Amino acid sequence: VAALGLALGMTAVGAGISQAQDAPAACSVDDTKPGEVATAYFRLTQAGAATSKEAQMKSLRDAVMQAEKNIDRGQNLPGRSYIMAKAYVLMLSDTLVTDPNTTRGAVGLTTNPAGPIDLVVAVDSLLDIVEQAHPDCVGETEAWRQNNVWLDILNRAIQAIDANQLDSAEFYARRTQLLHENNPYGYQLLATIANRRGQGDVEREMWTKTIEKAGTDTSLAEVRDQARFYLGNLYATQAEAATDPAEKSRLAKEAVGVYREYLKTKEPED
């Protein structure tokens, strides 16, 4: 049942990404100063007009190189961070870099070029800097979090679940959360994994988190409803198995409460 809910819930992902990318920008990050930031932004825009992957990668590496230049002076760190995060996402999305675990020099960084870098971790850290300094940018940065890179990791988790490779599935599910902690799909995946492992308490926590992260977003109504349905089933199953009368009563009441919330969305319109 949990696996069925997961499969149905995934149908909303593509639309969510498209809507996020089409949302109007309202972000106060300055990409015009100092000079190296302006140059980095120009190189980033050049990548979009590149006619070959080689030219695109060169522009993106140049963007990173310029954004990193004089970064130790602390001038416009959010602007630098945003450009680098975008460049890394584009490198991965367009398969210019096929493995997120690479060297710093491979993506344009000049300090410690032989050192390792995990681009998924880097994107998250860089976008954190932007969001903390410019809360008005969160709507825009979320589109860079929930991107093709995120979707690819999500699909890897689903494929691992289908193959019953639960350790791998959990690894990828948590990677999706690293990029987009507030997205409900990662929690839905972890609930399904917990179900397969027979970890009822963990499953219950993850379905609850799925509902919480889905919030009141109408585009996530199906995910939210499914999570309530499965959470209600789980409470009911646990209530039936409980031997302590007080615990049995508590779990049954929880099941009723969740089912009622689920049924509210299923009531016929007048």
Side-chain angles (χ1 to χ4, degrees), residues 34 37 67 71 74-84 126 129-130 133:
V37 172
I71 196 170
Q75 295 176 303
N76 193 8
L77 188 58
R80 297 170 186 273
S81 299
Y82 207 6
I83 289 169
M84 286 193 282
L126 291 165
I129 292 171
V130 176

Side-chain angles (χ1 to χ4, degrees), residues 23-70:
C27 180
S28 59
V29 169
D30 189 350
D31 50 33
T32 65
K33 59 185 180 183
E36 56 264 26
V37 172
T39 302
Y41 182 74
F42 176 68
R43 298 289 186 233
L44 188 69
T45 59
Q46 276 188 321
T51 56
S52 69
K53 285 196 171 187
E54 291 77 11
Q56 185 183 8
M57 185 62 182
K58 183 180 185 305
S59 292
L60 292 174
R61 290 182 81 254
D62 287 347
V64 172
M65 190 181 304
Q66 288 295 322
E68 184 200 26
K69 188 177 180 180
N70 297 324

Side-chain angles (χ1 to χ4, degrees), residues 154-176:
L154 190 77
N155 284 331
R156 287 173 185 243
I158 295 170
Q159 290 163 7
I161 289 173
D162 288 344
N164 207 36
Q165 297 170 348
L166 301 185
D167 288 346
S168 294
E170 181 177 0
F171 170 78
Y172 288 121
R174 295 198 182 281
R175 291 275 280 182
T176 71

